[in-house]
Amino acid sequence: MAQLLDRRDYDLRSWTTADGLPNGVITGLVVDRQGYLHVATLGGVARLDGQSVTTLTVSELPLLRTNQASAIALGRRDDLWVGTPEGYLLRLTRGRMADSLAPLAD
């Protein structure tokens, strides 16, 4: 039987745009093997380390084409995969763009 976690055993904190999130609409969450929380939002991707927020937007990832991230997943090698509403798929390695896939033409 699964054991329930007791919230008193953890520090809880809410993060908002005032704390540095690029947007208040969260579309995905993933925790990497180092314990960083990566957040996909309609304003970009953010990495939270428990103390601060690092954002990745079109200015850092020009192939993103839009700041909107509709999905996020962790790959086998700790790469982050980010999907966009337009169908683009980006692979990030250590916070940098590794490669991208464009949507198939209709």
Side-chain angles (χ1 to χ4, degrees):
M1 178 190 284
Q3 183 180 7
L4 294 177
L5 300 176
D6 189 337
R7 67 177 177 82
R8 293 173 293 191
D9 293 336
Y10 299 91
D11 291 329
L12 299 177
R13 178 173 178 194
S14 296
W15 294 80
T16 67
T17 54
D19 299 303
L21 282 182
N23 189 281
V25 179
I26 295 173
T27 57
L29 299 168
V30 67
V31 177
D32 68 20
R33 289 173 185 84
Q34 289 75 41
Y36 293 109
L37 176 64
H38 300 271
V39 182
T41 77
L42 293 184
V45 176
R47 184 182 86 170
L48 288 77
D49 63 8
Q51 302 296 319
S52 61
V53 178
T54 303
T55 61
L56 297 173
T57 62
V58 172
S59 58
E60 292 85 18
L61 304 171
L63 293 178
L64 192 56
R65 298 184 185 252
T66 176
N67 284 331
Q68 294 185 351
S70 57
I72 192 165
L74 186 65
R76 284 182 276 162
R77 296 184 198 114
D78 231 15
D79 294 333
L80 284 178
W81 291 87
V82 178
T84 72
E86 296 82 14
Y88 288 89
L89 184 62
L90 313 170
R91 183 170 62 95
L92 307 176
T93 302
R94 292 183 290 282
R96 295 184 173 245
M97 176 82 85
D99 56 309
S100 67
L101 296 170
L104 296 174
D106 291 334

